[in-house]
Structure formats: C-alpha cells, structure tokens
Amino acid sequence: MRATPNTASRILFRIDIPRPLVLCIFVSSRKLIYNYKKGNLMNIYTEQDKNIRKTWFLMLTFFIAIIGLGWFFSAVLEQPVILWAAVIFSIGMNVFSYWHSDKLVMATTGAKLMPDEG
C-alpha cells in the first residue's frame, strides 16, 4: 500500500487518543501559534511574571475580603475594634503565607529531604 497524505492521516487517527487530550493539544498549539504571531513567545520569565501577578492578586483579594468582612461586622455591631482586628489578621496572614507557604505545603504533603549521595 502506497503511503499518501490521506493514508497517513487516517492511520494517525486510528490511535485511541481521548478526545479531551486532543482538544487540549489543539488549543495549546493554537495558543502557542497565536502568541508566536503576536511576538509573545512564552518562556520561563513570562511564566514567572504571571505567577508573581497571580500571587499579588490573591494576596490583595484576601486582604480586601477580610477587611470588608471586618468592616461589615464592626458597622453592624458598632465595635471598631473588630475592624482593627481584621486589618491585623489579614496583614499577618498574608505575611505568614507569603514567607512560610513552602514549608506548609511540604508539611501537609509529608515530603522529606532526600539524602545526600556523596
């Protein structure tokens, strides 16, 4: 049987690939081509910048949500100390989670240090 482009594509699609995986590969390749045409090739630095923006967004969202809840409860109960406690709690939690999140994840997953081979 002579291999023509149509035969090759028919043979390729006989492989049992789950449809979501094919869709994911198609969407990823389309996104990569689109970014390449725009001149925005993704590399480790753009991914790092994206992660930094996401981190600051999550920290700011948590900060605003906790202070908003503190403001609401301090207004309803007419106790301004609740707002101050919410501000201190949100700042403390943001600082703690920013500096100690790696240790927290390692402890919850049960990860252990690898022994040195030397």
Side-chain angles (χ1 to χ4, degrees):
M1 180 173 175
R2 196 171 134 228
T4 63
N6 290 338
T7 309
S9 64
R10 275 188 267 139
I11 292 171
L12 180 66
F13 285 107
R14 285 188 189 157
I15 299 171
D16 188 28
I17 299 174
R19 288 220 183 262
L21 180 63
V22 172
L23 180 63
C24 179
I25 292 170
F26 175 72
V27 169
S28 297
S29 63
R30 294 283 300 206
K31 189 185 283 187
L32 183 63
I33 291 169
Y34 176 71
N35 284 332
Y36 178 73
K37 286 180 181 176
K38 284 178 55 180
N40 297 334
L41 273 181
M42 298 174 79
N43 57 25
I44 192 169
Y45 301 110
T46 57
E47 290 297 316
Q48 184 180 12
D49 289 341
K50 241 173 31 175
N51 288 340
I52 290 171
R53 280 193 304 272
K54 286 180 189 177
T55 300
W56 280 106
F57 174 74
L58 287 173
M59 288 174 65
L60 185 64
T61 303
F62 178 77
F63 185 73
I64 291 171
I66 296 299
I67 290 179
L69 283 171
W71 175 80
F72 174 75
F73 284 114
S74 70
V76 168
L77 300 174
E78 297 178 357
Q79 296 289 327
V81 73
I82 295 174
L83 179 58
W84 286 106
V87 169
I88 291 169
F89 175 75
S90 64
I91 290 172
M93 284 298 292
N94 272 329
V95 169
F96 179 80
S97 66
Y98 184 79
W99 288 107
H100 298 290
S101 60
D102 57 339
K103 295 176 191 87
L104 186 65
V105 169
M106 296 292 239
T108 56
T109 58
K112 295 182 174 70
L113 287 174
M114 289 182 58
D116 290 334
E117 292 186 30

